[in-house]
Amino acid sequence: MTTLTTEGPASLRPELREGAVWSTWRKIAFRFAFIYIILYTTPWALPTSGIPWLYNVTQFYDQGWSWLVTLFNTHFFTVADELVPVNGSGDTSFAWSQLWFMICFGIVATAIWSVLDRKRKNYEVMDYWLRICVRYYISFFCLSYGIIKLFAMQMIFPSLSQLATPLGRFPPDAFVVAVQSAIQRLYQVFSGAMETIAGLLLINRKTVTLGLIVASGVFMQVFVLNMSYDIPVKLFSASFTGVDSIPAFV
């Protein structure tokens, strides 16, 4: 068992690891993890999300995803007759169908890859760069959510109409997010501070392991909160927790 490496490319020295022999199951697990993580994280799309002219290019990738997921839903796993796109909620029928597609595609692609590349001894170099992608992916979202919470801007104080709403009419997620978490500013600021600390720790190679430990605790708390109060980002938090832990199995 290893964790995300803190060594740089110079100290990785692939030429000295060419003789390393991975077990068959480790190679199969890595192939599936590599395919699934690349499909889920799409690291090339993150830097373009706020740049209009680059977004015009990456939108074709999104259109391709929409076509594939719709086709998959129609002919294989019919999650819903008409898919509801991801729009503010991460638990839509499109998101579920996309998840099933990524898992099934990953299994098939892993089988093909395993047959075509069965003589390879290891994936040391690919493993190193995959860990780098996961590391900055986690850091990106830790800082994105953490900084907003630090200023208590993610869960704002309830409006007058919400305060006048009878308690029994609040759905569980609205009650927690709009009332409880907003009033208890200390909780929101503390959780934001922990996410920000985790994101900063992941930037420095020497503190990656500590950053993963902190991030794991933060994400598990978010996942349990989402599950307990039916907050509609359960898929994202569950997958994000998985992305955080997947690199540790190889």
Side-chain angles (χ1 to χ4, degrees):
M1 299 287 288
T2 61
T3 56
L4 286 176
T5 180
T6 59
E7 300 177 345
S11 59
L12 182 64
R13 295 185 295 180
E15 70 276 8
L16 299 181
R17 297 190 177 185
E18 289 180 355
V21 179
W22 287 14
S23 66
T24 300
W25 286 111
R26 181 179 178 182
K27 289 187 288 185
I28 293 174
F30 172 80
R31 290 163 187 152
F32 177 81
F34 181 88
I35 295 169
Y36 179 82
I37 290 175
I38 293 299
L39 287 176
Y40 185 81
T41 62
T42 57
W44 50 84
L46 289 178
T48 66
S49 58
I51 306 176
W53 64 273
L54 284 178
Y55 174 75
N56 292 334
V57 177
T58 58
Q59 67 177 338
F60 293 107
Y61 175 81
D62 297 332
Q63 293 172 359
W65 257 122
S66 179
W67 179 81
L68 280 173
V69 172
T70 302
L71 184 68
F72 181 81
N73 179 73
T74 302
H75 296 286
F76 296 96
F77 290 95
T78 306
V79 175
D81 294 333
E82 185 174 350
L83 296 179
V84 177
V86 177
N87 186 18
S89 170
D91 296 338
T92 64
S93 54
F94 181 91
W96 276 103
S97 185
Q98 185 181 39
L99 177 65
W100 283 114
F101 172 81
M102 288 190 291
I103 293 174
C104 292
F105 180 85
I107 293 173
V108 173
T110 298
I112 296 173
W113 187 358
S114 298
V115 172
L116 297 178
D117 202 26
R118 60 184 178 276
K119 294 183 179 179
R120 183 180 291 271
K121 296 180 179 179
N122 61 67
Y123 294 96
E124 292 285 347
V125 177
M126 291 179 66
D127 176 59
Y128 172 78
W129 290 110
L130 177 64
R131 293 166 188 267
I132 293 294
C133 290
V134 171
R135 169 182 155 195
Y136 284 109
Y137 177 82
I138 297 172
S139 179
F140 175 85
F141 281 102
C142 280
L143 294 175
S144 298
Y145 283 98
I147 293 174
I148 294 175
K149 289 179 181 176
L150 272 177
F151 295 94
M153 295 176 62
Q154 183 179 14
M155 295 168 280
I156 60 176
F157 194 84
S159 63
L160 289 176
S161 62
Q162 288 176 317
L163 291 175
T165 301
L167 184 61
R169 294 185 181 180
F170 268 106
D173 62 324
F175 176 74
V176 173
V177 175
V179 180
Q180 193 175 44
S181 297
I183 293 176
Q184 298 295 333
R185 292 171 61 91
L186 178 61
Y187 166 77
Q188 183 176 177
V189 173
F190 174 76
S191 61
M194 296 305 296
E195 290 176 0
T196 303
I197 290 172
L200 293 175
L201 289 172
L202 288 170
I203 293 176
N204 192 323
R205 292 198 303 267
K206 296 181 180 180
T207 57
V208 169
T209 301
L210 180 59
L212 282 177
I213 294 173
V214 176
S216 296
V218 171
F219 298 149
M220 184 59 65
Q221 182 270 148
V222 172
F223 173 68
V224 173
L225 183 69
N226 292 340
M227 293 296 295
S228 300
Y229 293 95
D230 195 27
I231 300 175
V233 285
K234 295 183 287 294
L235 276 180
F236 178 75
S237 59
S239 297
F240 202 69
T241 303
V243 166
D244 178 35
S245 60
I246 279 177
F249 77 90
V250 289

